[in-house]
Amino acid sequence: MQNINLEGNTVLDPASTGGASVINDPQLEYLSEIVRDFNDKFGKDLTENDSIRKFMMEELPQKVVEKEEYQNTKSHSDRQNAKIAFKRIMQEVFQDYMFDQFDMYQKFTENEEFREWYTDKMFEMDYRFDDNSPT
C-alpha cells in the first residue's frame, strides 16, 4: 500500500477496493462465535435466518435481560449474584416458550451441559456488552 503524504505530517492510506466494507461490531462477532460453538458442541446447524437461532440467541436472552429483578440484581449486586439471577430467570422465562420451542426447551431442561453452556454464554454476552454493567 502506498501512502499519500498530505500537508503537515498526516499520512492517508488509500481506500480499500476489495468490495463491501466490513463493520466490526464486537457484539455481533461474539454472537457469531457463540453460534459456531453451539453448532459444533450440540450438533445443530443454526444459520443467520434460522428462527431457532433468532429465538435462542436474541429473543430469549432479551426477555431475561428485560426483567426488572435481573436488572436490579445486576445494578445493586456483584457479578456472581447477577449470574445466579440470570440463570434462574432464564429457566422461568424459557418455560413460557416450552410449547413453541419444544425441542430446544427439552434440550435445555434435560441436558445439563447444554443448559450451563447456554446460560453462561448468554449471561456473558449481556454482561460484556452492557454499558451500564459494573466493572
Side-chain angles (χ1 to χ4, degrees):
M1 255 185 205
Q2 183 179 17
N3 294 331
I4 301 172
N5 199 358
L6 301 175
E7 291 181 27
N9 293 327
T10 305
V11 176
L12 181 65
D13 289 329
S16 172
T17 59
S21 63
V22 176
I23 299 173
N24 290 334
D25 181 341
Q27 187 170 3
L28 288 177
E29 289 176 10
Y30 185 73
L31 186 57
S32 293
E33 179 183 310
I34 292 171
V35 170
R36 278 191 305 274
D37 196 22
F38 178 87
N39 289 338
D40 290 345
K41 278 184 166 302
F42 303 106
K44 288 285 187 183
D45 188 21
L46 299 182
T47 62
E48 184 65 29
N49 296 323
D50 190 344
S51 64
I52 294 172
R53 186 209 58 82
K54 184 174 173 66
F55 173 73
M56 294 296 292
M57 303 299 166
E58 297 174 28
E59 295 170 4
L60 182 59
Q62 185 60 39
K63 294 287 186 191
V64 175
V65 168
E66 290 172 353
K67 293 289 186 179
E68 184 177 349
E69 180 183 353
Y70 172 65
Q71 288 300 318
N72 286 338
T73 303
K74 189 164 83 169
S75 296
H76 303 291
S77 193
D78 63 9
R79 181 184 177 96
Q80 181 179 355
N81 285 325
K83 188 173 187 177
I84 291 167
F86 185 92
K87 287 183 172 193
R88 185 179 44 71
I89 294 168
M90 172 70 75
Q91 290 179 331
E92 293 170 4
V93 170
F94 210 155
Q95 287 179 354
D96 294 339
Y97 296 93
M98 76 172 116
F99 296 113
D100 295 335
Q101 299 289 340
F102 182 74
D103 290 339
M104 293 309 297
Y105 179 75
Q106 186 175 25
K107 183 178 258 315
F108 182 83
T109 56
E110 294 176 0
N111 185 330
E112 183 178 350
E113 178 187 5
F114 170 71
R115 182 176 53 252
E116 290 300 313
W117 176 88
Y118 175 70
T119 53
D120 286 349
K121 293 292 185 180
M122 295 301 102
F123 172 77
E124 183 62 33
M125 187 168 65
D126 174 61
Y127 216 85
R128 179 183 293 186
F129 296 105
D130 181 6
D131 294 334
N132 298 319
S133 288
T135 53

